[in-house]
Coordinates of all heavy atoms in Angstrom, one line a residue:
M15 N 31.5 -23.2 -9.0 CA 30.8 -22.0 -8.9 C 31.5 -20.9 -9.6 O 32.7 -20.6 -9.2 CB 30.5 -21.6 -7.5 CG 29.7 -20.4 -7.2 SD 29.3 -20.3 -5.5 CE 28.4 -18.9 -5.5
P16 N 31.0 -20.3 -10.7 CA 31.7 -19.2 -11.4 C 31.8 -18.0 -10.6 O 30.9 -17.7 -9.8 CB 30.9 -19.0 -12.7 CG 29.5 -19.5 -12.3 CD 29.7 -20.6 -11.3
K17 N 32.9 -17.3 -10.8 CA 33.1 -16.0 -10.0 C 32.7 -14.9 -10.9 O 33.0 -14.9 -12.1 CB 34.6 -15.9 -9.6 CG 35.0 -16.9 -8.6 CD 36.4 -16.7 -8.2 CE 36.8 -17.8 -7.1 NZ 38.1 -17.6 -6.6
D18 N 32.1 -13.9 -10.3 CA 31.6 -12.7 -11.0 C 32.7 -11.6 -10.8 O 32.9 -11.2 -9.7 CB 30.3 -12.3 -10.5 CG 29.7 -11.1 -11.3 OD1 30.4 -10.6 -12.2 OD2 28.6 -10.6 -11.0
A19 N 33.4 -11.3 -11.8 CA 34.4 -10.2 -11.7 C 33.9 -8.9 -12.2 O 34.7 -8.0 -12.5 CB 35.6 -10.7 -12.5
T20 N 32.6 -8.7 -12.4 CA 32.1 -7.4 -12.8 C 32.3 -6.4 -11.7 O 32.0 -6.6 -10.6 CB 30.5 -7.6 -13.1 OG1 30.4 -8.6 -14.0 CG2 30.0 -6.3 -13.7
V21 N 32.7 -5.2 -12.1 CA 33.0 -4.1 -11.2 C 32.0 -3.1 -11.5 O 31.7 -2.7 -12.6 CB 34.4 -3.6 -11.4 CG1 34.6 -2.4 -10.5 CG2 35.4 -4.6 -11.2
Y22 N 31.3 -2.6 -10.4 CA 30.4 -1.5 -10.5 C 30.9 -0.3 -9.8 O 31.5 -0.4 -8.7 CB 29.0 -1.9 -9.9 CG 28.3 -3.0 -10.7 CD1 28.5 -4.3 -10.5 CD2 27.5 -2.6 -11.8 CE1 27.9 -5.3 -11.2 CE2 26.9 -3.6 -12.6 CZ 27.1 -4.9 -12.3 OH 26.5 -5.9 -13.0
S23 N 30.6 0.9 -10.3 CA 31.1 2.1 -9.6 C 30.0 2.4 -8.5 O 28.9 1.8 -8.5 CB 31.2 3.2 -10.6 OG 30.0 3.6 -11.1
I24 N 30.3 3.4 -7.7 CA 29.4 3.7 -6.6 C 28.1 4.3 -7.1 O 27.1 4.2 -6.4 CB 30.1 4.7 -5.7 CG1 29.4 4.8 -4.3 CG2 30.2 6.1 -6.3 CD1 30.3 5.4 -3.2
D25 N 28.1 4.8 -8.3 CA 26.8 5.4 -8.9 C 26.0 4.4 -9.7 O 25.1 4.7 -10.4 CB 27.1 6.6 -9.7 CG 27.8 6.4 -11.0 OD1 28.3 5.2 -11.1 OD2 28.0 7.3 -11.8
S26 N 26.3 3.1 -9.5 CA 25.7 1.9 -10.1 C 25.8 1.9 -11.6 O 25.0 1.3 -12.3 CB 24.2 1.9 -9.7 OG 23.4 2.9 -10.4
T27 N 26.9 2.4 -12.1 CA 27.2 2.4 -13.5 C 28.2 1.2 -13.7 O 29.2 1.2 -13.0 CB 27.8 3.7 -14.0 OG1 26.9 4.7 -13.8 CG2 28.1 3.6 -15.5
N28 N 28.0 0.4 -14.7 CA 28.9 -0.7 -15.0 C 30.0 -0.1 -15.9 O 29.7 0.3 -17.0 CB 28.2 -1.8 -15.7 CG 29.1 -3.0 -16.0 OD1 30.3 -2.9 -16.2 ND2 28.5 -4.2 -16.2
P29 N 31.3 0.0 -15.5 CA 32.3 0.6 -16.3 C 32.5 -0.1 -17.7 O 33.0 0.6 -18.6 CB 33.5 0.6 -15.5 CG 33.2 -0.3 -14.3 CD 31.8 -0.5 -14.3
R30 N 32.2 -1.4 -17.8 CA 32.5 -2.1 -19.0 C 31.5 -1.7 -20.1 O 31.8 -1.5 -21.2 CB 32.4 -3.6 -18.8 CG 33.5 -4.1 -18.1 CD 33.4 -5.6 -18.0 NE 34.4 -6.2 -17.0 CZ 34.3 -7.4 -16.6 NH1 33.4 -8.2 -17.0 NH2 35.2 -7.8 -15.7
T31 N 30.2 -1.6 -19.7 CA 29.2 -1.3 -20.7 C 28.7 0.1 -20.7 O 28.1 0.6 -21.6 CB 27.9 -2.2 -20.5 OG1 27.4 -1.9 -19.2 CG2 28.3 -3.7 -20.5
G32 N 29.0 0.8 -19.6 CA 28.5 2.2 -19.5 C 27.0 2.3 -19.2 O 26.5 3.4 -19.1
S33 N 26.4 1.2 -19.0 CA 24.9 1.2 -18.7 C 24.7 1.6 -17.2 O 25.5 1.4 -16.4 CB 24.3 -0.2 -18.9 OG 24.8 -1.1 -18.0
S34 N 23.6 2.2 -17.0 CA 23.3 2.6 -15.6 C 21.9 2.1 -15.3 O 21.0 2.2 -16.1 CB 23.3 4.1 -15.5 OG 23.0 4.5 -14.2
R35 N 21.7 1.7 -14.1 CA 20.3 1.3 -13.6 C 19.9 2.3 -12.5 O 20.8 2.9 -11.9 CB 20.3 -0.1 -13.1 CG 21.2 -0.3 -12.0 CD 21.1 -1.8 -11.5 NE 21.8 -1.9 -10.2 CZ 22.8 -2.7 -10.0 NH1 23.3 -3.4 -11.0 NH2 23.4 -2.7 -8.9
P36 N 18.7 2.5 -12.2 CA 18.2 3.4 -11.2 C 18.9 3.0 -9.9 O 19.0 1.9 -9.5 CB 16.7 3.3 -11.2 CG 16.3 2.6 -12.4 CD 17.5 1.8 -12.9
S37 N 19.2 4.0 -9.1 CA 19.8 3.8 -7.8 C 18.7 3.2 -6.9 O 17.5 3.3 -7.2 CB 20.3 5.1 -7.1 OG 19.2 5.9 -6.8
L38 N 19.1 2.6 -5.8 CA 18.2 2.0 -4.8 C 17.2 3.1 -4.3 O 16.0 2.9 -4.2 CB 18.9 1.4 -3.7 CG 18.0 0.7 -2.6 CD1 17.2 -0.4 -3.2 CD2 18.9 0.1 -1.5
N39 N 17.7 4.3 -4.0 CA 16.9 5.4 -3.5 C 15.8 5.7 -4.6 O 14.6 5.9 -4.2 CB 17.7 6.6 -3.2 CG 16.9 7.7 -2.5 OD1 16.1 7.4 -1.7 ND2 17.2 8.9 -2.9
E40 N 16.2 5.8 -5.8 CA 15.2 6.1 -6.9 C 14.2 5.0 -7.0 O 13.0 5.3 -7.2 CB 15.9 6.3 -8.2 CG 16.8 7.5 -8.3 CD 17.7 7.5 -9.5 OE1 18.0 6.5 -10.1 OE2 18.1 8.6 -9.9
Q41 N 14.6 3.7 -6.9 CA 13.6 2.6 -7.0 C 12.6 2.7 -5.8 O 11.4 2.5 -6.0 CB 14.4 1.3 -7.0 CG 15.2 1.0 -8.2 CD 16.0 -0.3 -8.1 OE1 15.4 -1.3 -7.5 NE2 17.2 -0.3 -8.6
L42 N 13.1 2.9 -4.6 CA 12.2 3.0 -3.4 C 11.3 4.2 -3.5 O 10.1 4.0 -3.2 CB 13.1 3.0 -2.2 CG 13.9 1.8 -1.9 CD1 14.7 2.0 -0.6 CD2 13.0 0.5 -1.7
S43 N 11.8 5.3 -4.0 CA 10.9 6.5 -4.2 C 9.8 6.2 -5.2 O 8.7 6.6 -5.0 CB 11.8 7.7 -4.6 OG 12.6 8.0 -3.5
A44 N 10.2 5.5 -6.3 CA 9.2 5.2 -7.3 C 8.1 4.2 -6.7 O 6.9 4.4 -7.0 CB 9.9 4.5 -8.5
I45 N 8.5 3.3 -5.9 CA 7.6 2.3 -5.3 C 6.6 3.1 -4.4 O 5.4 3.0 -4.5 CB 8.3 1.2 -4.5 CG1 9.0 0.3 -5.5 CG2 7.3 0.5 -3.6 CD1 10.0 -0.7 -4.8
L46 N 7.2 4.0 -3.5 CA 6.3 4.7 -2.6 C 5.4 5.7 -3.4 O 4.2 5.8 -3.1 CB 7.2 5.6 -1.7 CG 7.7 4.9 -0.5 CD1 8.7 5.8 0.3 CD2 6.6 4.4 0.4
G47 N 5.9 6.3 -4.4 CA 5.0 7.2 -5.2 C 3.9 6.5 -5.9 O 2.8 7.0 -5.9
D48 N 4.2 5.3 -6.5 CA 3.2 4.5 -7.2 C 2.1 4.1 -6.2 O 1.0 4.1 -6.5 CB 3.9 3.4 -7.8 CG 3.0 2.7 -8.9 OD1 2.2 3.4 -9.5 OD2 3.1 1.4 -9.0
L49 N 2.5 3.6 -5.0 CA 1.6 3.1 -4.0 C 0.7 4.3 -3.5 O -0.5 4.1 -3.4 CB 2.3 2.5 -2.8 CG 2.9 1.1 -3.1 CD1 3.8 0.7 -2.0 CD2 1.8 0.1 -3.4
R50 N 1.3 5.4 -3.3 CA 0.5 6.6 -2.8 C -0.5 7.0 -3.9 O -1.6 7.5 -3.5 CB 1.4 7.7 -2.4 CG 2.1 7.4 -1.1 CD 3.0 8.5 -0.6 NE 3.6 8.2 0.6 CZ 4.9 8.4 0.9 NH1 5.7 9.0 0.1 NH2 5.4 8.1 2.1
E51 N -0.1 7.0 -5.1 CA -1.0 7.4 -6.2 C -2.1 6.4 -6.5 O -3.2 6.8 -6.7 CB -0.1 7.6 -7.5 CG -0.9 8.0 -8.7 CD 0.0 8.1 -9.9 OE1 1.1 8.5 -9.8 OE2 -0.5 7.7 -11.0
R52 N -1.8 5.1 -6.4 CA -2.8 4.1 -6.8 C -3.7 3.6 -5.7 O -4.7 3.1 -6.0 CB -2.1 3.0 -7.5 CG -1.4 3.4 -8.8 CD -0.8 2.2 -9.4 NE -0.1 2.5 -10.6 CZ -0.1 1.8 -11.7 NH1 -0.8 0.8 -11.8 NH2 0.6 2.2 -12.8
I53 N -3.2 3.7 -4.5 CA -4.0 3.3 -3.3 C -4.3 4.5 -2.5 O -3.7 4.7 -1.4 CB -3.3 2.2 -2.6 CG1 -2.9 1.0 -3.5 CG2 -4.1 1.6 -1.5 CD1 -2.1 -0.1 -2.9
A54 N -5.3 5.2 -2.9 CA -5.7 6.4 -2.2 C -6.4 6.1 -0.9 O -6.5 7.0 0.0 CB -6.7 7.2 -3.1
E55 N -6.9 4.9 -0.7 CA -7.5 4.5 0.6 C -6.5 4.5 1.8 O -6.9 4.5 2.9 CB -8.2 3.2 0.4 CG -9.3 3.1 -0.6 CD -8.9 3.0 -2.0 OE1 -7.7 2.7 -2.2 OE2 -9.7 3.1 -2.9
A56 N -5.3 4.4 1.5 CA -4.2 4.3 2.5 C -3.9 5.7 3.0 O -3.6 6.6 2.3 CB -3.0 3.6 2.0
D57 N -4.0 5.8 4.3 CA -3.7 7.1 4.9 C -2.2 7.4 5.1 O -1.7 8.5 5.1 CB -4.3 7.2 6.3 CG -5.8 7.2 6.3 OD1 -6.4 7.9 5.5 OD2 -6.4 6.3 7.0
D58 N -1.5 6.3 5.2 CA 0.0 6.4 5.3 C 0.6 5.1 4.6 O 0.1 4.0 4.8 CB 0.4 6.4 6.8 CG 1.9 6.8 7.0 OD1 2.4 7.4 6.1 OD2 2.4 6.5 8.0
V59 N 1.7 5.4 3.9 CA 2.5 4.3 3.2 C 3.9 4.4 3.7 O 4.5 5.4 3.5 CB 2.4 4.4 1.7 CG1 3.1 3.3 1.0 CG2 0.9 4.4 1.2
T60 N 4.4 3.3 4.2 CA 5.8 3.3 4.7 C 6.5 2.1 4.3 O 5.9 1.0 4.0 CB 5.9 3.4 6.2 OG1 5.2 2.3 6.8 CG2 5.4 4.7 6.8
L61 N 7.9 2.2 4.1 CA 8.7 1.0 3.9 C 9.5 0.8 5.1 O 10.0 1.7 5.8 CB 9.6 1.3 2.7 CG 9.0 1.5 1.3 CD1 10.0 1.9 0.3 CD2 8.3 0.2 0.9
E62 N 9.8 -0.5 5.4 CA 10.6 -0.9 6.5 C 11.5 -2.0 6.1 O 11.1 -3.0 5.4 CB 9.6 -1.4 7.6 CG 10.3 -1.9 8.9 CD 9.4 -2.5 9.9 OE1 8.5 -3.3 9.5 OE2 9.5 -2.1 11.0
F63 N 12.7 -1.9 6.6 CA 13.7 -3.0 6.3 C 14.2 -3.6 7.6 O 14.8 -2.9 8.4 CB 14.9 -2.5 5.5 CG 15.8 -3.6 5.1 CD1 15.6 -4.4 4.0 CD2 17.0 -3.8 5.8 CE1 16.4 -5.4 3.6 CE2 17.9 -4.8 5.4 CZ 17.6 -5.6 4.4
K64 N 13.9 -4.9 7.8 CA 14.4 -5.6 8.9 C 14.8 -7.0 8.4 O 14.1 -8.0 8.5 CB 13.3 -5.8 10.0 CG 13.1 -4.5 10.8 CD 12.2 -4.8 12.0 CE 11.9 -3.6 12.8 NZ 11.0 -3.8 13.9
G65 N 15.9 -7.0 7.6 CA 16.4 -8.2 7.0 C 15.7 -8.4 5.6 O 16.3 -9.0 4.7
K66 N 14.4 -8.0 5.5 CA 13.7 -8.0 4.3 C 12.9 -6.7 4.2 O 12.6 -6.1 5.2 CB 12.7 -9.2 4.2 CG 13.4 -10.5 4.2 CD 12.4 -11.7 4.2 CE 13.1 -13.0 4.2 NZ 12.2 -14.1 4.2
L67 N 12.6 -6.3 2.9 CA 11.9 -5.1 2.7 C 10.4 -5.3 2.8 O 9.9 -6.2 2.1 CB 12.3 -4.5 1.3 CG 11.7 -3.1 1.0 CD1 12.1 -2.1 2.0 CD2 12.1 -2.7 -0.4
H68 N 9.7 -4.6 3.6 CA 8.2 -4.7 3.7 C 7.6 -3.3 3.5 O 8.2 -2.3 3.8 CB 7.8 -5.1 5.1 CG 8.1 -6.5 5.4 ND1 9.4 -7.0 5.9 CD2 7.4 -7.6 5.3 CE1 9.3 -8.3 6.0 NE2 8.2 -8.7 5.7
V69 N 6.4 -3.3 3.0 CA 5.6 -2.1 2.8 C 4.4 -2.2 3.8 O 3.9 -3.3 4.0 CB 5.1 -1.9 1.4 CG1 4.2 -3.0 0.9 CG2 4.5 -0.5 1.2
H70 N 4.1 -1.1 4.4 CA 3.0 -1.0 5.3 C 2.0 0.1 4.8 O 2.5 1.2 4.6 CB 3.4 -0.7 6.7 CG 4.4 -1.6 7.3 ND1 4.1 -3.0 7.6 CD2 5.7 -1.5 7.6 CE1 5.2 -3.6 8.0 NE2 6.2 -2.7 8.1
L71 N 0.8 -0.3 4.7 CA -0.3 0.7 4.3 C -1.3 0.8 5.5 O -1.9 -0.2 5.8 CB -1.0 0.2 3.0 CG -0.1 0.1 1.8 CD1 0.2 -1.3 1.5 CD2 -0.7 0.8 0.6
D72 N -1.4 2.0 6.1 CA -2.3 2.2 7.2 C -3.6 2.7 6.7 O -3.7 3.7 5.9 CB -1.7 3.1 8.2 CG -0.4 2.5 8.8 OD1 -0.3 1.3 8.8 OD2 0.4 3.3 9.3
V73 N -4.7 2.1 7.1 CA -6.0 2.4 6.6 C -7.0 2.6 7.8 O -6.9 1.8 8.8 CB -6.6 1.2 5.7 CG1 -8.0 1.5 5.2 CG2 -5.6 0.9 4.6
K74 N -7.8 3.7 7.8 CA -8.7 4.0 8.9 C -10.0 3.2 8.8 O -10.5 2.7 9.8 CB -9.0 5.4 9.0 CG -7.8 6.2 9.5 CD -8.1 7.7 9.7 CE -6.9 8.4 10.2 NZ -7.0 9.8 10.1
R75 N -10.5 3.0 7.6 CA -11.8 2.4 7.4 C -11.6 0.9 7.2 O -11.0 0.5 6.2 CB -12.6 3.0 6.3 CG -12.9 4.4 6.5 CD -13.7 5.0 5.3 NE -14.5 4.0 4.7 CZ -15.4 4.3 3.7 NH1 -15.5 5.5 3.4 NH2 -16.1 3.3 3.2
G76 N -12.1 0.0 8.0 CA -12.0 -1.4 7.9 C -12.6 -1.9 6.6 O -12.1 -2.9 6.1
E77 N -13.6 -1.2 6.1 CA -14.3 -1.7 4.9 C -13.3 -1.6 3.7 O -13.6 -2.2 2.7 CB -15.5 -0.8 4.6 CG -16.5 -0.6 5.7 CD -16.1 0.5 6.7 OE1 -15.9 1.6 6.2 OE2 -16.1 0.2 7.9
D78 N -12.3 -0.7 3.8 CA -11.4 -0.6 2.7 C -10.3 -1.6 2.6 O -9.5 -1.7 1.6 CB -10.7 0.8 2.7 CG -11.6 2.0 2.5 OD1 -12.7 1.7 1.8 OD2 -11.4 3.1 2.9
L79 N -10.1 -2.4 3.7 CA -9.1 -3.4 3.7 C -9.1 -4.4 2.5 O -8.0 -4.6 1.9 CB -9.1 -4.2 5.0 CG -8.7 -3.4 6.3 CD1 -8.9 -4.2 7.5 CD2 -7.2 -3.0 6.1
P80 N -10.2 -5.0 2.2 CA -10.2 -5.9 1.0 C -9.8 -5.2 -0.3 O -9.1 -5.8 -1.1 CB -11.6 -6.5 0.9 CG -12.2 -6.3 2.3 CD -11.5 -5.0 2.8
L81 N -10.2 -4.0 -0.5 CA -9.9 -3.2 -1.7 C -8.4 -2.9 -1.7 O -7.7 -3.1 -2.7 CB -10.7 -1.9 -1.7 CG -10.4 -1.0 -2.9 CD1 -10.7 -1.7 -4.2 CD2 -11.2 0.3 -2.8
V82 N -7.8 -2.5 -0.6 CA -6.4 -2.2 -0.5 C -5.6 -3.5 -0.8 O -4.6 -3.5 -1.5 CB -6.0 -1.6 0.9 CG1 -4.5 -1.6 1.1 CG2 -6.6 -0.2 1.0
E83 N -6.0 -4.6 -0.2 CA -5.3 -5.9 -0.4 C -5.3 -6.3 -1.9 O -4.3 -6.7 -2.5 CB -5.9 -7.0 0.4 CG -5.6 -6.8 1.9 CD -6.3 -7.8 2.7 OE1 -7.5 -8.3 2.4 OE2 -5.8 -8.2 3.8
A84 N -6.5 -6.1 -2.5 CA -6.6 -6.5 -3.9 C -5.8 -5.6 -4.8 O -5.1 -6.1 -5.8 CB -8.1 -6.4 -4.4
K85 N -5.8 -4.3 -4.6 CA -5.0 -3.4 -5.4 C -3.5 -3.7 -5.2 O -2.7 -3.7 -6.2 CB -5.2 -1.9 -4.9 CG -6.5 -1.4 -5.4 CD -6.7 0.1 -5.0 CE -7.9 0.7 -5.6 NZ -8.0 2.2 -5.2
L86 N -3.1 -4.0 -4.0 CA -1.7 -4.3 -3.7 C -1.2 -5.5 -4.4 O -0.1 -5.6 -5.0 CB -1.4 -4.4 -2.2 CG 0.0 -4.5 -1.7 CD1 0.8 -3.3 -2.1 CD2 0.0 -4.7 -0.2
A87 N -2.1 -6.5 -4.5 CA -1.8 -7.8 -5.1 C -1.6 -7.6 -6.6 O -0.8 -8.3 -7.3 CB -2.8 -8.8 -4.9
D88 N -2.3 -6.6 -7.2 CA -2.3 -6.4 -8.7 C -1.1 -5.5 -9.1 O -0.8 -5.5 -10.3 CB -3.6 -5.8 -9.1 CG -4.8 -6.8 -9.2 OD1 -4.5 -8.0 -9.2 OD2 -5.9 -6.3 -9.1
L89 N -0.6 -4.8 -8.2 CA 0.5 -3.8 -8.5 C 1.9 -4.5 -8.7 O 2.1 -5.5 -8.0 CB 0.6 -2.7 -7.5 CG -0.5 -1.7 -7.4 CD1 -0.2 -0.7 -6.3 CD2 -0.5 -0.9 -8.7
G90 N 2.7 -3.9 -9.5 CA 4.1 -4.3 -9.6 C 4.4 -5.7 -10.1 O 5.5 -6.2 -9.9
A91 N 3.5 -6.3 -10.8 CA 3.8 -7.6 -11.5 C 4.4 -8.6 -10.5 O 5.4 -9.2 -10.8 CB 4.7 -7.4 -12.7
G92 N 3.7 -8.8 -9.4 CA 4.2 -9.8 -8.4 C 5.2 -9.2 -7.5 O 5.9 -10.0 -6.7
M93 N 5.5 -7.9 -7.4 CA 6.5 -7.4 -6.6 C 6.1 -7.5 -5.1 O 7.0 -7.6 -4.2 CB 6.7 -5.9 -6.9 CG 7.7 -5.2 -6.1 SD 7.8 -3.4 -6.4 CE 8.2 -3.3 -8.1
F94 N 4.8 -7.5 -4.8 CA 4.3 -7.6 -3.4 C 3.7 -9.0 -3.2 O 2.8 -9.4 -3.9 CB 3.2 -6.5 -3.2 CG 3.7 -5.1 -3.6 CD1 3.3 -4.5 -4.7 CD2 4.6 -4.4 -2.7 CE1 3.7 -3.3 -5.1 CE2 5.0 -3.2 -3.1 CZ 4.6 -2.6 -4.3
S95 N 4.3 -9.6 -2.1 CA 3.8 -10.9 -1.8 C 3.6 -11.0 -0.2 O 3.9 -10.1 0.5 CB 4.8 -12.0 -2.2 OG 6.0 -11.8 -1.6
Q96 N 3.1 -12.1 0.2 CA 2.8 -12.4 1.6 C 2.0 -11.2 2.2 O 2.4 -10.6 3.3 CB 4.1 -12.6 2.4 CG 4.9 -13.8 1.9 CD 6.2 -14.0 2.6 OE1 6.5 -13.4 3.7 NE2 7.1 -14.8 2.1
I97 N 0.9 -10.8 1.6 CA 0.1 -9.7 2.0 C -0.7 -10.2 3.3 O -1.3 -11.3 3.3 CB -0.9 -9.3 0.9 CG1 -0.1 -8.8 -0.3 CG2 -1.8 -8.3 1.4 CD1 -0.9 -8.6 -1.5
S98 N -0.6 -9.3 4.3 CA -1.3 -9.7 5.6 C -1.9 -8.5 6.2 O -1.5 -7.3 5.9 CB -0.3 -10.4 6.5 OG 0.8 -9.5 6.9
R99 N -2.8 -8.7 7.2 CA -3.4 -7.6 7.9 C -2.9 -7.6 9.4 O -2.5 -8.7 9.9 CB -4.9 -7.8 8.0 CG -5.7 -7.7 6.7 CD -7.1 -7.9 7.0 NE -7.9 -7.9 5.7 CZ -9.2 -8.0 5.6 NH1 -9.9 -8.1 6.7 NH2 -9.7 -8.1 4.5
G100 N -2.9 -6.5 10.0 CA -2.5 -6.4 11.4 C -2.9 -5.1 11.9 O -3.6 -4.3 11.3
S101 N -2.5 -4.8 13.2 CA -2.9 -3.6 13.8 C -1.8 -2.5 13.5 O -0.6 -2.9 13.3 CB -3.0 -3.8 15.3 OG -1.8 -4.2 15.9
T102 N -2.1 -1.3 13.6 CA -1.2 -0.2 13.4 C -0.6 0.2 14.8 O -1.4 0.5 15.7 CB -1.9 1.0 12.8 OG1 -2.4 0.6 11.5 CG2 -0.9 2.1 12.5
P103 N 0.7 0.2 15.0 CA 1.3 0.5 16.3 C 0.9 2.0 16.7 O 0.9 2.9 15.9 CB 2.8 0.4 16.1 CG 2.9 -0.4 14.9 CD 1.7 -0.2 14.0
N104 N 0.4 2.1 17.9 CA 0.1 3.4 18.5 C -1.1 4.1 17.9 O -1.3 5.3 18.0 CB 1.3 4.4 18.5 CG 2.5 3.8 19.2 OD1 2.3 3.2 20.3 ND2 3.6 3.9 18.7
H105 N -1.9 3.4 17.0 CA -3.1 3.9 16.4 C -4.2 2.9 16.5 O -4.4 2.1 15.6 CB -2.8 4.3 15.0 CG -1.9 5.4 14.8 ND1 -0.5 5.3 14.9 CD2 -2.1 6.7 14.6 CE1 0.0 6.5 14.7 NE2 -0.9 7.4 14.5
P106 N -4.9 2.8 17.6 CA -5.8 1.7 17.9 C -7.0 1.7 16.9 O -7.6 0.6 16.7 CB -6.3 2.0 19.3 CG -6.1 3.4 19.6 CD -4.9 3.8 18.7
F107 N -7.3 2.8 16.2 CA -8.5 2.8 15.3 C -8.0 2.6 13.8 O -8.8 2.8 12.9 CB -9.3 4.1 15.5 CG -9.8 4.1 16.9 CD1 -9.3 5.0 17.8 CD2 -10.9 3.3 17.3 CE1 -9.8 5.1 19.1 CE2 -11.4 3.4 18.6 CZ -10.8 4.3 19.5
S108 N -6.8 2.3 13.6 CA -6.3 2.1 12.2 C -6.0 0.6 12.0 O -5.8 -0.1 12.9 CB -5.0 2.9 12.0 OG -5.3 4.3 11.9
H109 N -6.0 0.2 10.7 CA -5.7 -1.1 10.3 C -4.5 -1.1 9.4 O -4.3 -0.1 8.7 CB -6.8 -1.7 9.6 CG -8.1 -1.6 10.3 ND1 -8.6 -2.4 11.3 CD2 -9.1 -0.6 10.2 CE1 -9.7 -2.0 11.7 NE2 -10.1 -1.0 11.1
R110 N -3.6 -2.1 9.4 CA -2.4 -2.1 8.6 C -2.4 -3.3 7.7 O -2.7 -4.4 8.1 CB -1.2 -2.2 9.5 CG 0.1 -2.3 8.7 CD 1.3 -2.0 9.6 NE 1.5 -0.6 9.8 CZ 2.5 0.0 10.5 NH1 3.4 -0.8 11.0 NH2 2.5 1.3 10.5
V111 N -2.1 -3.0 6.4 CA -1.9 -4.1 5.4 C -0.4 -4.0 5.1 O 0.1 -3.0 4.8 CB -2.7 -3.8 4.1 CG1 -2.4 -4.8 3.1 CG2 -4.2 -3.8 4.4
S112 N 0.2 -5.2 5.3 CA 1.7 -5.3 5.1 C 2.0 -6.3 4.0 O 1.2 -7.2 3.8 CB 2.4 -5.7 6.3 OG 2.2 -4.8 7.3
A113 N 3.1 -6.1 3.3 CA 3.5 -7.1 2.3 C 5.0 -7.1 2.1 O 5.7 -6.1 2.4 CB 2.9 -6.7 0.9
L114 N 5.5 -8.2 1.7 CA 6.9 -8.4 1.4 C 7.2 -7.8 0.0 O 6.4 -8.0 -0.9 CB 7.3 -9.8 1.4 CG 8.8 -10.2 1.1 CD1 9.7 -9.6 2.2 CD2 9.0 -11.7 1.0
V115 N 8.2 -7.0 -0.1 CA 8.6 -6.3 -1.4 C 9.8 -7.0 -2.0 O 10.8 -7.1 -1.3 CB 8.9 -4.8 -1.2 CG1 9.1 -4.2 -2.5 CG2 7.7 -4.1 -0.5
T116 N 9.7 -7.4 -3.3 CA 10.8 -8.0 -4.0 C 11.1 -7.1 -5.2 O 10.3 -6.9 -6.1 CB 10.4 -9.4 -4.5 OG1 10.0 -10.2 -3.4 CG2 11.6 -10.1 -5.1
I117 N 12.3 -6.5 -5.1 CA 12.7 -5.6 -6.2 C 13.5 -6.4 -7.2 O 14.4 -7.1 -6.9 CB 13.5 -4.4 -5.7 CG1 12.7 -3.6 -4.7 CG2 14.0 -3.5 -6.8 CD1 13.4 -2.5 -4.0

């Protein structure tokens, strides 16, 4: 197994090449902004990390669930997988669409 001796600085800049990639915070903010902009049917969009990164879209109208699921599946070139429906905690009249996020 080859060892990776690449050193990265705290600001995600590779000192050898000087290249920089967006920080994790910038990537997550971009994902949230894109979802809020493109899926207007969602009343709330949240990210949750419990070992894996998940996105939750809370929707009030049950008729909008298939549309939200279809839009989510088309976004991000396969970034969102394992799309599922569930209930929204503490909101009995809302529905939740969740998906695994792969960055």
Side-chain angles (χ1 to χ4, degrees):
M15 182 174 180
K17 294 184 180 182
D18 183 0
T20 305
V21 177
Y22 292 91
S23 68
I24 198 162
D25 66 352
S26 73
T27 302
N28 182 336
R30 289 186 193 165
T31 63
S33 67
S34 179
R35 61 176 190 243
S37 69
L38 181 58
N39 188 43
E40 291 169 340
Q41 291 177 37
L42 295 176
S43 294
I45 290 169
L46 279 174
D48 194 33
L49 288 170
R50 288 181 177 140
E51 179 182 324
R52 295 180 184 225
I53 305 180
E55 296 81 11
D57 297 310
D58 191 24
V59 180
T60 56
L61 292 173
E62 174 185 51
F63 184 80
K64 286 187 178 177
K66 295 181 180 178
L67 184 62
H68 288 87
V69 63
H70 303 293
L71 298 106
D72 296 337
V73 181
K74 287 188 181 164
R75 295 178 34 169
E77 308 86 51
D78 290 336
L79 289 174
L81 179 61
V82 170
E83 289 172 330
K85 285 183 175 183
L86 189 59
D88 287 340
L89 287 176
M93 179 186 301
F94 305 104
S95 62
Q96 299 179 15
I97 299 171
S98 62
R99 293 183 189 183
S101 61
T102 303
N104 303 319
H105 292 81
F107 299 106
S108 289
H109 310 277
R110 177 168 279 184
V111 175
S112 298
L114 179 67
V115 182
T116 306
I117 298 178

